[in-house]
Amino acid sequence: MKVGSLGFVGCALVGALALPAAAAGSLSYDDPGMHFKAPDGWQRVDLPNADAGDQDHKPPAAVFVLNPGRRDQRTIVLDIQSGSDSLDAFEHGHESELHQQGDNGGAHVDKRTQVTLANGMPAYLLQVTSGDGLDSVRRYEYLVFDGQRDIDVSYSGHQGEFDQKAALDALSSLYVVAYPRNRS
Protein backbone atom coordinates (compact mmCIF):
# COMPACT_ATOMS: atom_id res chain seq x y z
CA MET A 1 0.00 0.00 0.00
CA LYS A 2 1.53 3.31 -1.03
CA VAL A 3 1.85 6.16 1.45
CA GLY A 4 -1.00 8.08 -0.25
CA SER A 5 -3.32 5.13 0.25
CA LEU A 6 -2.25 4.88 3.89
CA GLY A 7 -3.31 8.49 4.36
CA PHE A 8 -6.69 7.70 2.83
CA VAL A 9 -7.19 4.83 5.27
CA GLY A 10 -6.30 7.09 8.20
CA CYS A 11 -8.78 9.74 7.10
CA ALA A 12 -11.47 7.11 6.67
CA LEU A 13 -11.03 5.99 10.27
CA VAL A 14 -11.04 9.44 11.83
CA GLY A 15 -14.63 10.14 10.91
CA ALA A 16 -17.43 9.31 8.53
CA LEU A 17 -16.42 9.27 4.92
CA ALA A 18 -17.81 12.26 3.12
CA LEU A 19 -18.07 10.27 -0.08
CA PRO A 20 -21.45 8.73 -0.94
CA ALA A 21 -21.78 4.96 -0.91
CA ALA A 22 -22.14 3.21 -4.26
CA ALA A 23 -25.38 1.53 -5.18
CA ALA A 24 -26.41 -1.51 -3.16
CA GLY A 25 -25.17 -4.79 -4.57
CA SER A 26 -21.79 -3.40 -5.59
CA LEU A 27 -19.88 -5.23 -2.90
CA SER A 28 -17.65 -7.05 -5.39
CA TYR A 29 -14.41 -6.04 -7.03
CA ASP A 30 -13.24 -8.10 -9.98
CA ASP A 31 -10.45 -7.75 -12.52
CA PRO A 32 -8.54 -10.33 -14.60
CA GLY A 33 -6.23 -11.17 -11.66
CA MET A 34 -8.39 -10.98 -8.57
CA HIS A 35 -11.82 -11.18 -6.97
CA PHE A 36 -13.09 -9.79 -3.68
CA LYS A 37 -16.58 -9.49 -2.24
CA ALA A 38 -17.17 -7.51 0.94
CA PRO A 39 -19.50 -9.12 3.49
CA ASP A 40 -23.17 -8.20 3.64
CA GLY A 41 -23.82 -5.02 5.59
CA TRP A 42 -20.78 -3.20 4.23
CA GLN A 43 -21.02 -0.20 1.89
CA ARG A 44 -18.81 0.50 -1.09
CA VAL A 45 -17.39 4.01 -1.20
CA ASP A 46 -17.39 5.94 -4.46
CA LEU A 47 -13.83 7.01 -5.22
CA PRO A 48 -12.62 9.85 -7.42
CA ASN A 49 -11.34 8.83 -10.83
CA ALA A 50 -7.62 8.13 -10.90
CA ASP A 51 -5.48 10.69 -12.72
CA ALA A 52 -4.11 8.69 -15.63
CA GLY A 53 -0.90 10.75 -15.54
CA ASP A 54 -0.01 9.93 -11.91
CA GLN A 55 0.89 6.23 -11.92
CA ASP A 56 2.92 6.51 -8.69
CA HIS A 57 -0.04 7.64 -6.57
CA LYS A 58 -3.04 5.71 -7.78
CA PRO A 59 -5.99 5.75 -5.39
CA PRO A 60 -7.24 2.46 -3.99
CA ALA A 61 -9.09 0.20 -6.43
CA ALA A 62 -11.99 -0.15 -3.98
CA VAL A 63 -12.92 0.87 -0.44
CA PHE A 64 -15.68 -0.61 1.70
CA VAL A 65 -16.88 0.68 5.06
CA LEU A 66 -18.91 -0.76 7.94
CA ASN A 67 -20.53 1.48 10.59
CA PRO A 68 -19.36 4.75 8.96
CA GLY A 69 -18.73 7.58 11.39
CA ARG A 70 -18.96 5.45 14.50
CA ARG A 71 -16.17 4.49 16.89
CA ASP A 72 -16.46 0.88 15.69
CA GLN A 73 -16.10 1.84 12.02
CA ARG A 74 -14.18 -0.69 9.94
CA THR A 75 -12.63 -0.15 6.55
CA ILE A 76 -11.53 -2.58 3.84
CA VAL A 77 -9.17 -1.13 1.23
CA LEU A 78 -8.06 -2.84 -1.99
CA ASP A 79 -4.87 -1.19 -3.17
CA ILE A 80 -3.29 -2.32 -6.44
CA GLN A 81 -0.02 -0.76 -7.61
CA SER A 82 2.65 -1.44 -10.19
CA GLY A 83 4.45 -4.63 -9.27
CA SER A 84 7.67 -5.33 -7.49
CA ASP A 85 9.90 -8.16 -8.65
CA SER A 86 8.45 -10.70 -6.20
CA LEU A 87 6.20 -11.18 -3.21
CA ASP A 88 9.18 -10.92 -0.86
CA ALA A 89 10.35 -7.66 -2.46
CA PHE A 90 6.83 -6.24 -2.15
CA GLU A 91 6.59 -7.25 1.52
CA HIS A 92 9.99 -5.79 2.42
CA GLY A 93 9.28 -2.50 0.63
CA HIS A 94 5.80 -2.25 2.14
CA GLU A 95 7.07 -2.86 5.66
CA SER A 96 9.70 -0.16 5.19
CA GLU A 97 6.99 2.30 4.09
CA LEU A 98 4.90 1.41 7.13
CA HIS A 99 7.76 2.20 9.50
CA GLN A 100 8.27 5.60 7.87
CA GLN A 101 4.66 6.79 7.90
CA GLY A 102 3.22 9.12 10.48
CA ASP A 103 4.65 11.56 12.99
CA ASN A 104 5.17 9.14 15.88
CA GLY A 105 7.51 6.60 14.36
CA GLY A 106 5.06 5.08 11.91
CA ALA A 107 3.24 1.84 12.13
CA HIS A 108 4.49 -1.24 13.92
CA VAL A 109 4.25 -4.65 12.27
CA ASP A 110 3.27 -6.83 15.21
CA LYS A 111 3.17 -10.07 13.26
CA ARG A 112 4.14 -11.23 9.75
CA THR A 113 3.14 -14.67 8.51
CA GLN A 114 3.54 -16.37 5.13
CA VAL A 115 0.16 -17.83 4.17
CA THR A 116 -1.75 -19.04 1.15
CA LEU A 117 -5.11 -17.66 0.12
CA ALA A 118 -8.05 -20.05 -0.16
CA ASN A 119 -7.22 -20.63 -3.85
CA GLY A 120 -3.57 -21.45 -3.05
CA MET A 121 -1.93 -18.14 -4.00
CA PRO A 122 1.03 -17.30 -1.71
CA ALA A 123 0.66 -14.15 0.41
CA TYR A 124 1.87 -12.44 3.54
CA LEU A 125 -0.52 -11.68 6.37
CA LEU A 126 0.52 -8.65 8.42
CA GLN A 127 -0.89 -7.47 11.73
CA VAL A 128 -0.10 -3.76 12.01
CA THR A 129 -0.68 -1.23 14.80
CA SER A 130 -0.41 2.53 14.43
CA GLY A 131 -1.20 5.44 16.74
CA ASP A 132 -1.27 5.59 20.52
CA GLY A 133 -3.77 4.87 23.28
CA LEU A 134 -7.44 5.33 22.44
CA ASP A 135 -6.56 6.41 18.90
CA SER A 136 -4.56 3.30 18.01
CA VAL A 137 -5.59 1.51 14.85
CA ARG A 138 -5.24 -2.21 14.16
CA ARG A 139 -4.93 -3.37 10.58
CA TYR A 140 -4.71 -6.83 9.05
CA GLU A 141 -3.28 -6.91 5.54
CA TYR A 142 -2.92 -9.54 2.87
CA LEU A 143 0.01 -8.73 0.59
CA VAL A 144 -0.08 -10.61 -2.71
CA PHE A 145 2.00 -10.38 -5.89
CA ASP A 146 0.20 -11.55 -9.04
CA GLY A 147 3.29 -11.54 -11.26
CA GLN A 148 2.72 -7.95 -12.40
CA ARG A 149 1.01 -6.05 -9.55
CA ASP A 150 1.40 -5.55 -5.81
CA ILE A 151 -1.97 -6.15 -4.15
CA ASP A 152 -2.65 -5.03 -0.59
CA VAL A 153 -6.05 -5.87 0.85
CA SER A 154 -6.47 -4.47 4.35
CA TYR A 155 -9.07 -4.54 7.10
CA SER A 156 -8.73 -1.82 9.72
CA GLY A 157 -10.45 -0.16 12.65
CA HIS A 158 -9.82 1.05 16.17
CA GLN A 159 -7.86 -1.44 18.21
CA GLY A 160 -10.09 -3.45 20.55
CA GLU A 161 -13.21 -3.11 18.38
CA PHE A 162 -12.62 -6.40 16.51
CA ASP A 163 -10.34 -9.42 16.55
CA GLN A 164 -8.25 -11.27 13.96
CA LYS A 165 -11.03 -13.78 13.26
CA ALA A 166 -13.49 -11.01 12.34
CA ALA A 167 -10.92 -9.41 10.04
CA LEU A 168 -9.95 -12.62 8.29
CA ASP A 169 -13.59 -13.69 7.92
CA ALA A 170 -14.34 -10.37 6.21
CA LEU A 171 -11.39 -10.87 3.85
CA SER A 172 -12.04 -14.57 3.18
CA SER A 173 -13.51 -14.09 -0.32
CA LEU A 174 -10.21 -12.73 -1.66
CA TYR A 175 -8.60 -14.75 -4.38
CA VAL A 176 -5.78 -13.76 -6.67
CA VAL A 177 -4.38 -15.50 -9.74
CA ALA A 178 -1.44 -14.69 -12.01
CA TYR A 179 -2.40 -11.57 -13.93
CA PRO A 180 -2.68 -12.26 -17.67
CA ARG A 181 0.54 -11.10 -19.38
CA ASN A 182 -1.31 -9.71 -22.39
CA ARG A 183 -3.07 -7.08 -20.22
CA SER A 184 -1.64 -3.84 -18.90
Side-chain angles (χ1 to χ4, degrees), residues 7 10 12 19 30 37 45 66 69-70 72 76 93 130 142 149 172:
L19 302 170
D30 293 284
K37 181 180 182 300
V45 176
L66 179 69
R70 294 182 15 193
D72 64 343
I76 295 174
S130 58
Y142 279 120
R149 307 175 303 167
S172 66

Side-chain angles (χ1 to χ4, degrees), residues 16 37 43 47 55 66 70 84 97 119 142 152 178:
K37 181 180 182 300
Q43 299 172 0
L47 298 173
Q55 294 301 311
L66 179 69
R70 294 182 15 193
S84 301
E97 285 180 13
N119 70 323
Y142 279 120
D152 180 352

Side-chain angles (χ1 to χ4, degrees), residues 108-141:
H108 182 265
V109 177
D110 303 314
K111 188 175 181 182
R112 175 190 335 97
T113 309
Q114 285 188 296
V115 297
T116 55
L117 300 179
N119 70 323
M121 187 67 141
Y124 278 98
L125 173 62
L126 302 182
Q127 177 183 304
V128 180
T129 304
S130 58
D132 292 320
L134 296 175
D135 292 329
S136 65
V137 173
R138 171 63 47 92
R139 184 168 64 238
Y140 290 92
E141 300 181 56

